[in-house]
Amino acid sequence: MRDAAMPGAWRHYRPSQAMIVVILTAIIFVTLSAALPGFLSVGNLFTLARGISILGILGLGMAVVVIGRGIDLSQIAILAVSAAIAVSLINAGLPEGPSLLIGLLIAVLAGILNGFLVSVIEIPPLFTTLASSLLLLGLTRALVVPHYQVFLEHSSDTLQALGGTVAGGLPVPVIVFAVCALLLHLFLSKTVLGHFIYAHGDNAEAARLAGIATRPLTMLEYGLSAAIGYVAGVVMVASTSLMHLQIAESTMIFDVILVVVLGGVSLVGGRGNVMSVIAGTLLIGVLLNAMTIMNLNIQVQNVIKGGVLLFAIVFDSYLHPRDDETAKQGD
Amino acid sequence: MRRLWYRISPQLLIGELLEKRWMEPAVPFLLMCAIFLAFVVAIPDYGSIQQLQQLMRSFPEQALVAMAMALSILSGGIDLSVGAVFAMANFIALYLAMVLELPVSVAFAGALAWGALIGAANGGLIAYAKTRPFLTTMVVLIVVRAFYELVTVAYATDLASAYVDNAAWDFVGIGDLLGVPVNMVCLLAVAFAAHFFLTRVKPGVHIMAVGSSRKAARHAGINVRLSLFLAYVLSGMLASFAGFLYAARQNSAGTDTGVGWEVNALAAAVVGGISLAGGRGSTSRALIGAAIIFLLINGLVQLGTHGSLTTASIGFLLLLAVGFNVKFVKHKSKILQKIYVSPTLVDFTPPPSIARDSGTVFAENDRLLDVEPIALGKIEGPEDVILDRNDNLYTVNRNGSIIRFLAPDYEIREEFARIGGRPLGLAMDKDENILACVAGMGVYGVRPDRSVFKVTDETTRSRFRLKDDSRLLLADDLDVAPDGRIFFSDASTRYDLADWALDGFEGRGNGRLVCHDPRSGKTSTVLKNLAFPNGVCVAHDGQSVYWVSTWLCRIYRYWIDGPRKGALEVLVDNLPGFPDNINRASDGTYWLALVGLRSPVYDLAMADPSFRVRMVKQIPPDEWLCPGINYGCVLKFNDKGEILESLWDPGATNHPTITSMREHKGYLYIGGLENNRIGRLPLPDADPGWTSWDSYYGDGTTPAAVTAPAPARKAG
Amino acid sequence: MRKLLTGAMGRTLAAALTAGAVALSAGSGQAADPRSELMDKFQAATEGKTIAWVPIWLGVLESEWTRVMKSNFEDHGINFVVRDPNFKSDIQLQAVSTLINEKPDILIVQNPTTTLLARELKRAMREGIKVIQVNMASNTLTDAYVGADVPRMGRMLAQEAIDTCGGGKGSGKVAILQGEATAAYSLDMTVAATELLESDASMSVVSSQPVNWDANKASEITTNVLQQNPDLCAILSVWGPQTAGAAQAVKNAGLQGKVNIFVASDGQPADCEMVEKGLYTKNLSYTADRQANQIVAAALALLQDDRPAGSAQYAFYTTNYWVSGPEDREYCFAASN
């Protein structure tokens, strides 16, 4: 845990939000293991892990932006667009490596465009990313993917492996999530740039006055978010051989934000870390998996998930009361 | 031609336009008009009655949802659940009216109750459990949406086959009133009510106050929690009202109903220029924003555009519009600053020489060199001085007070009264009330018992002018006519006192001469478009008013009574300095203060407006070429317009910026806008018993007795 | 495109010449040739008329319909107007309402739900516009319906499932992937299939959920269903593209070949490819390209029908073909782009 990132309210032996979430997750986990037969089986745990790792990877990207006091509603759109373009290129006969690189490039460029609009033109991030996802989706559909979805017609084993499992049945997406989490953790806690992102989110004006180039930094944040999102996109393609642009219009982005915020990456910026994302992902994952085993349909699952989240939010605001007179918009 | 161009500069119009508060949503508003016009041109019959009706029928629901979102943003939060609440209200209304076949009123009540319920849940959590609005409403969105999907699937067969002929239902859905669709009428009514609520009704104003600053609202005694709660309840009800209208119009609860509407509503609010920080904006801006998005989509679809391009162009146009608007709002004040100053052409002829050996009446001398200072260091900025019949000296200071120095030695200083603003010119009326022109406030009076009263603070608003000039911005000097009318100058309607130099750079007729008639209580503008009218003095015969135009260096005479009533003439032209206050002298002539001296360079600048524009735009204010006001001079002139003598303080060591002088019992008292003293100069040739008050209101004979100042001393 | 244009122009020119010739010959009192008379009547009924078309969006299926209609109508000198609401039902309603005000001669719509356009379609017929509904009907009957016999498709899919899984040949567990819950196409097919399945004691429907035409959602739901029912025998899906997600989920669960996937398809190429790859077991194709030709035929028939709008209620049900391998490629149309 980064002590530097701890806000004052967390002192005095109060558990961090991530800790609360982890404890909550553990309680649910234990209860379910006892109550639901088959919940604790290795196969089920792996299914659980596979299901949430994409959400987790996306959450890592989102966390970077949110720590920098922004929000990226276009993450899923960028993911869909760049992955769909990469798949189209592979289908058109381009080798896999360059195709995937071009997809990454497009994702990063789109992220930088977001960062530019937010930091230089000064459009509120909520709106910027909302409108830019429309622009990206429309352009991609008009130029590259006319019918919203592309199938990966042929792929190498390497790419396929990304969506498969390694020996022992451990799904590869989980490994990808772990690697991403480790790298991001190192970046945020050990590098100067990582510290700058915290500074930027904590107080953008102070960061600027202290000499941090906040505009390029903002572009970096959004670029990172898009790039990590793209990794999730590639994993998605690897496991389903399909990219459907419609996911950009689903409520998935809200799930990502929830995962991030639940663990303690506050939308006011400068708070939380990779652990927070992992904690949030675990909670959501355990919940989803339990409900799947209980044979609930998607809608009921959403209702229950929402109920638990509301409880978590109220509980958190009870444990960590905030001064809403100094609270900032978007909090 | 050139003169005319500078006289009616379009810059003036733009500058004053930008100053208007309703210019803030100008960009979204113009964009909306432009989009509509573009489609009228591009699509045949787009502007036809039938088509307009169609547009009006399709628009209201989105607009209401946008208003719901706007309301929550204005309260300082956000309500992402509006789209889901809308969809669910749509279902509830449909179910009640179509499946259960209940009356429309029940469907309406059901939908609104639903909205209020969810609003109360949102508001309760956010206001009382202090949860975070973004997350809370997002989770509520997910839950309500899931719930909606559950019920629509469960009742899909019922809904798909339901088809009831219900006249009232159809009237809400497809009827119209006087050609305007019913739902549009509802929207207009709700929009008007919401605007009225947020700007005129206490709970509504409280919501705005809470949105602007929670802390300030609490300090003002507003129940912050209740206001927040109310905002979310109302937001939910607005969204569910939209759902009810939508149900009546569309008769359909599809899986895509309301999906992404919260996003559209958010976009509408931002495009309309509502600040996401809360408290800034209005419901009308949400309507403009919603209309922009609605018209764009509608028009593009009608043009037969492929769906992908519609999406792309909307994303692009929204970014462009908001980006431009963000920059416009941010830089508006800078643009305004750049173009507000609009100099006009002033052609001077070279002034008479003031050289010592020139032999002119203006020839420099040392007569003000040995002026005795009064109240040295005890006063700041005595713009004008006046003495009462007991010889007590009154003056003004920059803190907004009338200061009295007690006769006979003027050592005792006391604050006679506090008015506020920046008091400038003084006069005394028949009842010995002190009247003062107060910059930024108007004309005020102080009774001998020190109580302050307002004489006037407004005048008739000039027609055909964007800027509201009914308030007195820079009341400068005044005098009282024999019949009690008060004539005063309002030096500029475009700049306040601190920016007098900018008014000088314009050299434009921004000021006016105003008359207040105490008998009727009315104030009216007598002369307008005057270039910085400054000193005002009623002539000894009471038939005319002398006033000076500081930037044109002229003395005017305006007849207020007698055979020539209403006539205006230039009495003295081409003074060597910038004239300020005028006051009567004991010998039937007038004293005139010169606040500064003209210089050839400044005269040249006045003849070249574009030079002054460049100067104001390109160099910092402390480098500007300003009128030289660090020179002291007092002139004396008579009713014929002849300058009789001049008194100089060459180095301006004692009295720079002389703005006024007052003769009293053989002495001349000298005040200055920036000075730290009042000067007293004995006038050997003057009538030693003459007082200004007697000159105005006395019976013409010199008052015999100078009453002892003892009573006044007691007051000190 | 240019070739098409010149073709159309040439034809118009020819038509004008013919008309002139006819006028001349009529003037000279000679009896007209019955064959050219027929042509003249056809041209009088069709040329310069306007046909408006509002699909739900321009997906693969709709693009194919649009392509066929466009080429046919333009060939006959008919104005063809397309409005793309891009999957937004409120915008589709707007588009239809506006089109009714513009008074085309024929309005062709694809209904997203049974109720959304019902009232406007009635109004259109009152205004004298003949209305054709395509594939997805509404609660209002209009001049013509062109589309699949949806309940029959549902029964055919169900029968195939019974034949494969029922009577002890499989577990008898079937999952149904609906489209949109309130869309007639999805609703009718689901109801018919469910009825038939429930009539067979060896079959059980373990899940029947709408996936909103979305492959990702289908994948999610299928994963879910497979978790609970690893012995699932068949998946019935009302539409091809959405099923791709389900097929991938089955594949990821390692159940490819064990879970049979029967899909109602419009015959888009991707669906046939999925069958060829073995991801789908069988497609029931109603061949959108042939269906498009039926739409054209219906429109031409209505144009030549002198009766006012609303008097006819033609139905053109399309024939369904099973696609089970590369040899059935003819029942899929070629990709239009």
Side-chain angles (χ1 to χ4, degrees), chain B residues 305-321:
Chain B
T305 319
H306 194 277
S308 57
L309 289 176
T310 308
T311 315
S313 29
I314 287 185
F316 179 72
L317 285 171
L318 289 186
L319 280 177
L320 199 69

Side-chain angles (χ1 to χ4, degrees), chain B residues 420-438:
Chain B
R422 172 59 163 123
L424 298 172
L426 297 171
M428 202 173 272
D429 71 6
K430 204 173 168 110
D431 306 323
E432 295 186 67
N433 300 321
I434 292 176
L435 304 176
C437 277
V438 185

Side-chain angles (χ1 to χ4, degrees), chain B residues 363-381:
Chain B
E364 194 183 61
N365 53 50
D366 298 327
R367 290 176 61 185
L368 290 185
L369 215 54
D370 303 321
V371 175
E372 171 200 0
I374 299 176
L376 183 62
K378 290 183 186 170
I379 188 76
E380 255 195 295

